[in-house]
């Protein structure tokens, strides 16, 4: 492989977070499935100086972001980017496992109810048998109460992270504006 | 289903054009914005399309190994992308090699070259399909760059502009029902101030709920979910709406209306929104949020919080329950999966009972209107048929507890409230008493 220019290396690092994301080992088959589905081959164009956002993930329904690393990234900007990346991973893991466990629980519930009724999973026409919303109500109530504590912890953490990210974004925006102002002042003085 | 009911404030005068479940909750902004989006999309497709064509050329050239490699294109491709193409070319070569030896004996009997060509074409087609699917996925990746052309549309969706418009209508109804001469300036200031406050509250609500909105069909196309706007910009927008809005209400109208507006923003963003995921009490808090705008309209006109204001607020409050509970009946799966604590999931019987109770309460509140000198006695009589009808549907929902009855009740609530407020306006108690009228005439 030919030696790459520093700028290209920086761009290559731009896909680092995505590789980093897919390398993260999580617990449970649901999480591994979630991460495999995220192993997209998309790479942002090298010219781009912005983040890129993708289609919703199959399991978590969250849209992945590939974060751009500017060539003169400040420590604050790096902290923001890494925190956002970490939050993305954390969110992905939570919602992927949540949705996968919901689907699994729903299938098991339908199976057990149909078995109780003496029905098969597939009816005469070959269509998958389902229960209506009234019959599923017990499952919905049960699932919600089982996951209540999990959601409480998630909510607290999410609110903290969301505020932190926004606050850091504010700091970064302010720092950039300040630098620009200082640079313009120096230019005018010169 | 309604975007407003689950995530929006309960301070709405709904219209069929907002809450019709069969329609997508698509925001219809001026055509130029749609056109701009289309232009952007076209540009994006063209870029990706060219990339796709480049790869097809590579695979076709490589189906016969004896051929020369495709000459490098003249366009300056970034070294990073070129590296990617080389990788894919290598992949293609490996695939073809593994297939050819297997079919060599067969090719001797038939036209060997044709068979090899067909086989290679089949492999190439499979790869082309895979590449096509990949290219399709690539097209879905968007650069997170704020387009100024799109900004008005994005902010409109962020502030739930249709819902805001309906909130302003309820505030206007409150203003119009107040027993004071109509002041146009005050009316306009109240409307603008209430509108700005509503925009701010809705923006903050969306800011808090990004991962939850991503997981619901109805809300998955919101601007923050799609990355069209950054959280910082959303918060800045909310602040730049809230501050002028509340200032306008406080200084331009009166401090009481300003305080109510500020309190409502707080109630919606800091109480109702987090509570949705903690306790079913969120429905009652949300009903208060929905009841406050007509109270604000009344206080803007009269500078006082009197019985008439509370009556109007009470009507809006009671209306929220049949409206929302019926709607939430069809969203139980999403609520359960998303972790939302709603009566329809946790306490289904209470959900239906509360809806029926408040349908009946509307009859009682309508009867109170002439008692409090808000309307004439015509109002309870004229409004009785529609109040009885919604109560009947509420009873059916309570008894049957199925999707059909919930939808009927929900649809009824959509036209019931606008009609009720209209009838109220028609039957508004005149400002002049009989004695004053005689004096004027003589």
């Amino acid at each position: 492989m030919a030696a790459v220019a520093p700028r290209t290396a920086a761009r290559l690092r731009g896909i680092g977070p995505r590789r980093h994301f897919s390398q993260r080992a999580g617990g449970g088959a649901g999480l591994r499935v979630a991460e495999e589905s995220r192993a997209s081959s998309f790479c942002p164009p090298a010219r781009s100086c912005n983040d890129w956002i993708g289609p919703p993930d199959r399991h978590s329904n969250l849209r992945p972001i590939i974060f751009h690393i500017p060539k003169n990234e400040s420590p604050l900007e790096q902290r923001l980017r890494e925190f956002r990346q970490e939050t993305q991973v954390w969110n992905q893991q939570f919602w992927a496992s949540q949705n996968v466990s919901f689907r699994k629980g729903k299938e098991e519930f339908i199976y057990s109810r149909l078995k109780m009724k003496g029905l098969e999973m597939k009816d005469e026409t070959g269509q998958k048998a389902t229960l209506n919303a009234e019959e599923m109500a017990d499952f919905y109530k049960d699932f919600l109460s089982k996951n209540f504590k999990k959601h409480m912890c998630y909510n607290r953490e999410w609110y903290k992270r969301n505020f932190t990210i926004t606050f850091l974004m504010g700091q970064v925006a302010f720092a950039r504006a300040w630098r620009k102002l200082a640079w313009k002042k120096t230019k005018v003085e010169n | 289903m309604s975007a407003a009911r689950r995530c929006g404030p309960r301070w709405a005068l709904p219209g069929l054009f907002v809450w019709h479940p069969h329609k997508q909750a698509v925001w219809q902004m001026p055509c130029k914005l749609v056109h701009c989006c289309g232009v952007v999309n076209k540009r994006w497709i063209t870029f990706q399309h060219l990339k796709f064509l480049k790869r097809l050329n590579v695979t076709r050239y490589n189906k016969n190994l004896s051929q020369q490699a495709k000459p490098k294109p003249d366009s300056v491709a970034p070294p990073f992308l070129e590296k990617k193409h080389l990788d894919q070319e290598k992949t293609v070569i490996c695939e073809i090699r593994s297939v050819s030896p297997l079919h060599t004996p067969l090719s001797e009997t038939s036209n060997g070259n044709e068979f090899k060509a067909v086989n290679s074409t089949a492999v190439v087609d499979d790869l082309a399909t895979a590449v096509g699917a990949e290219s399709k996925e690539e097209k879905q990746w968007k650069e997170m760059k704020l387009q100024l052309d799109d900004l008005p549309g994005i902010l409109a969706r962020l502030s739930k502009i249709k819902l805001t418009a309906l909130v302003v209508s309820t505030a206007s109804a409150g203003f119009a029902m107040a027993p004071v001469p109509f002041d146009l300036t005050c009316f306009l200031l109240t409307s603008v101030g209430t509108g700005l406050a509503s925009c701010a509250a809705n923006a903050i609500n969306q800011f808090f709920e990004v991962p939850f909105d991503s997981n619901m069909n109805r809300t998955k196309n919101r601007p923050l979910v799609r990355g069209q706007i950054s959280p910082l910009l959303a918060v800045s927008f909310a602040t730049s709406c809230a501050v002028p809005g509340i200032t306008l209400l406080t200084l331009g109208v009166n401090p009481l209306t300003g305080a109510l507006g500020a309190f409502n923003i707080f109630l919606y963003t800091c109480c109702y929104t987090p509570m949705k995921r903690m306790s079913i009490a969120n429905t009652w808090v949300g009903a208060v949020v929905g009841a406050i705008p007509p109270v604000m309209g009344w206080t803007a006109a009269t500078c006082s919080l009197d019985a008439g204001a509370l009556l109007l607020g009470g009507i809006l409050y009671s209306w929220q329950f049949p409206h929302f509970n019926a709607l939430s009946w069809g969203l139980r799966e999403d609520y359960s999966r998303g972790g939302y604590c709603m009566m329809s999931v946790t306490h289904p019987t209470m959900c239906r009972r509360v809806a029926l109770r408040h349908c009946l309460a509307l009859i009682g509140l309508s009867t109170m209107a002439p008692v409090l000198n808000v309307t004439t006695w015509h109002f309870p009589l004229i409004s009785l048929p529609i109040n009885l009808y919604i109560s009947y549907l509420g009873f059916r929902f309570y008894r049957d507890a199925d999707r059909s009855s919930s939808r009927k009740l929900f649809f009824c609530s959509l036209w019931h409230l606008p009609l009720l407020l209209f009838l109220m306006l028609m039957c508004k108690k005149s400002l002049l008493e009989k004695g004053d009228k005689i004096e004027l005439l003589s």
Side-chain angles (χ1 to χ4, degrees):
Chain A
M1 193 167 87
V4 291
R7 277 186 76 174
T8 314
R11 298 295 174 268
L12 284 170
R13 265 189 292 130
I15 63 161
R18 186 171 51 77
R19 272 208 300 265
H20 166 70
F21 178 97
S22 49
Q23 279 169 2
R24 280 267 182 120
L31 295 168
R32 280 195 291 278
V33 166
E35 280 155 12
E36 277 159 20
S37 78
R38 278 266 297 109
S40 159
S41 60
F42 176 79
C43 299
R47 282 184 297 278
S48 169
C49 299
N50 295 300
D51 299 337
W52 285 70
I53 190 164
D57 179 75
R58 215 152 49 91
H59 298 286
S60 69
N61 297 313
L62 301 175
R63 290 173 180 259
I65 299 178
I66 295 177
F67 298 100
H68 166 71
I69 305 176
K71 54 182 189 287
N72 48 355
E73 192 183 44
S74 69
L76 186 66
E77 286 169 352
Q78 186 184 3
R79 192 173 142 214
L80 170 63
R81 177 178 54 82
E82 285 170 357
F83 191 68
R84 285 178 79 188
Q85 182 62 48
E86 192 198 312
T87 302
Q88 184 170 269
V89 170
W90 169 79
N91 253 331
Q92 170 70 17
Q93 282 177 350
F94 178 83
W95 285 104
S97 86
Q98 182 73 6
N99 292 336
V100 163
S101 90
F102 181 84
R103 264 176 236 139
K104 197 165 151 227
K106 191 178 171 185
E107 291 284 341
E108 284 169 4
F109 180 82
I110 291 173
Y111 177 74
S112 66
R113 279 291 164 102
L114 288 172
K115 205 168 167 189
M116 251 171 34
K117 284 186 182 178
L119 296 168
E120 292 297 319
M121 279 299 282
K122 280 194 164 62
D123 64 16
E124 308 83 46
T125 60
Q127 289 271 334
K128 212 171 169 186
T130 52
L131 303 170
N132 64 28
E134 313 316 320
E135 289 163 320
M136 292 299 302
D138 290 335
F139 167 70
Y140 297 147
K141 184 177 176 179
D142 190 47
F143 187 84
L144 186 67
S145 58
K146 270 193 193 141
N147 288 274
F148 182 75
K149 266 211 175 89
K150 208 168 145 189
H151 276 293
M152 285 299 107
C153 296
Y154 171 81
N155 295 340
R156 259 195 298 271
E157 189 61 27
W158 160 248
Y159 271 73
K160 266 196 284 190
R161 284 176 181 267
N162 200 21
F163 277 124
T164 309
I165 287 172
T166 311
F167 182 70
L168 285 172
M169 277 181 163
Q171 282 186 306
V172 163
F174 182 76
R176 279 186 189 154
W178 190 257
R179 269 204 309 267
K180 212 170 182 178
L181 206 69
W183 179 78
K184 273 187 180 161
K185 209 179 169 187
T186 328
K187 202 178 171 189
V188 162
E189 279 170 359
N190 290 343
Chain B
M1 285 292 187
S2 163
R5 292 328 304 143
R6 197 183 53 76
C7 292
R10 315 302 186 83
W11 46 353
L13 173 69
L16 277 165
F17 62 96
V18 174
W19 278 296
H20 197 292
H22 294 305
K23 289 182 190 164
Q24 290 283 327
V26 170
W27 170 235
Q28 288 129 24
M29 276 299 281
C31 295
K32 63 173 182 177
L33 290 169
V34 173
H35 172 68
C36 284
C37 290
V39 166
V40 168
N41 284 337
K42 279 178 195 163
R43 278 205 293 272
W44 173 251
I45 287 167
T46 308
F47 168 71
Q48 290 304 316
H49 187 59
L50 285 173
K51 274 182 76 175
F52 172 71
L53 285 174
K54 255 203 250 181
R55 279 197 289 277
L56 267 181
N57 276 330
V58 167
T59 57
R60 280 196 192 121
Y61 269 102
N62 275 303
K63 74 179 182 196
N64 189 338
L65 291 173
S66 63
Q67 277 189 347
Q68 276 180 339
K70 175 181 81 70
K72 223 175 189 181
D74 291 329
S75 60
V76 181
F80 177 71
L81 275 176
E82 278 181 3
K83 176 185 174 297
K84 187 164 181 274
H85 286 311
L86 285 167
D87 287 342
Q88 286 182 334
E89 285 167 10
K90 281 179 198 154
T91 316
V92 167
I93 290 164
C94 289
E95 283 284 347
I96 292 169
R97 270 193 188 138
S98 66
V99 168
S100 318
L102 200 64
H103 293 280
T104 314
L106 284 168
S107 70
E108 283 169 3
T109 54
S110 60
N111 190 337
N113 286 336
E114 258 181 37
F115 191 88
K116 266 188 193 164
V118 163
N119 215 41
S120 305
T121 317
V123 170
V124 162
D125 281 346
D126 284 342
L127 285 164
T129 314
V131 158
E134 200 183 275
S135 167
K136 190 184 169 192
E137 200 234 324
E138 283 193 13
K139 283 181 198 174
Q140 294 175 300
W141 283 81
K142 303 261 187 270
E143 192 173 9
M144 291 176 84
K145 190 177 173 183
L146 186 66
Q147 306 286 346
L148 284 171
D149 287 342
D150 299 336
L151 192 62
I154 291 169
L155 293 179
R157 270 176 279 134
L158 186 70
S159 58
K160 297 185 206 167
I161 199 76
K162 278 183 190 171
L163 181 63
T164 297
L166 298 170
V167 167
V168 171
S169 326
T170 54
S172 310
F175 192 94
M177 284 306 298
V180 290
F182 187 81
D183 178 355
L184 183 65
T185 318
C186 189
F187 174 77
L188 290 172
L189 288 172
T190 310
S191 303
V192 171
T194 310
L196 287 171
S198 172
C199 288
N202 289 330
I204 296 291
N205 169 266
Q206 290 195 26
F207 165 71
F208 283 156
E209 302 224 300
V210 177
F212 316 120
D213 285 345
S214 309
N215 277 282
M216 309 258 179
N217 268 327
R218 194 164 45 82
T219 53
K220 65 186 179 188
N221 289 316
R222 286 183 170 173
L224 282 168
V225 172
R226 289 170 74 182
Q228 291 172 316
I229 193 172
S230 77
L232 178 67
L233 203 53
V235 171
S236 310
F237 170 72
T239 314
S240 61
C241 284
V243 171
I246 300 301
T247 311
L248 197 64
L249 289 173
T250 310
L251 302 177
V253 181
N254 58 58
L256 177 61
T257 312
L260 282 171
F263 174 67
N264 216 14
I265 293 176
F266 165 76
L267 201 63
Y268 180 60
T269 57
C270 303
C271 298
Y272 170 68
T273 302
M275 264 180 93
K276 275 159 61 176
R277 307 182 58 77
M278 292 198 294
S279 157
I280 58 170
N282 73 77
T283 309
W284 282 266
V285 173
V288 173
V289 172
I292 287 181
V295 176
M296 281 169 68
W298 185 289
T299 59
T302 63
C303 306
S304 66
L305 197 66
D306 27 295
L310 295 175
L311 176 77
L312 267 173
I315 288 175
L316 261 292
Y317 176 84
S318 278
W319 174 85
Q320 306 287 335
F321 291 94
H323 175 77
F324 179 70
N325 288 5
L327 171 67
S328 71
W329 200 254
L331 299 174
R332 284 176 287 176
E333 177 169 351
D334 276 352
Y335 286 152
S336 170
R337 187 166 53 85
Y340 282 100
C341 294
M342 299 296 175
M343 264 193 281
S344 56
V345 181
T346 59
H347 298 80
T349 316
M350 176 166 52
C351 175
R352 299 185 327 266
R353 190 173 59 236
V354 166
L356 175 61
R357 189 195 305 160
H358 283 274
C359 286
L360 297 168
L362 284 171
I363 301 174
L365 287 166
S366 300
T367 317
M368 288 296 291
V371 174
L372 297 172
N373 282 327
V374 178
T375 65
T376 60
W377 276 101
H378 298 120
F379 175 65
L381 295 168
I382 295 176
S383 63
L384 193 63
I386 58 170
N387 285 337
L388 280 175
Y389 183 61
I390 198 173
S391 302
Y392 165 70
L393 290 179
F395 174 71
R396 286 289 300 271
F397 177 48
Y398 175 71
R399 191 192 64 186
D400 302 342
D402 59 4
R403 194 161 176 262
S404 149
S405 56
S406 70
R407 279 165 62 86
K408 281 196 179 119
L409 179 59
F410 173 72
F411 275 120
C412 176
S413 73
L414 295 183
W415 58 257
H416 175 271
L417 183 65
L419 190 53
L420 190 72
L421 289 176
F422 174 75
L423 291 173
M424 221 179 180
L425 270 166
M426 291 298 106
C427 300
K428 181 185 169 183
K429 197 86 178 271
S430 170
L431 289 176
L432 296 169
E433 287 294 301
K434 236 184 188 168
D436 297 334
K437 272 184 187 162
I438 294 166
E439 263 188 51
L440 276 169
L441 286 169
S442 61

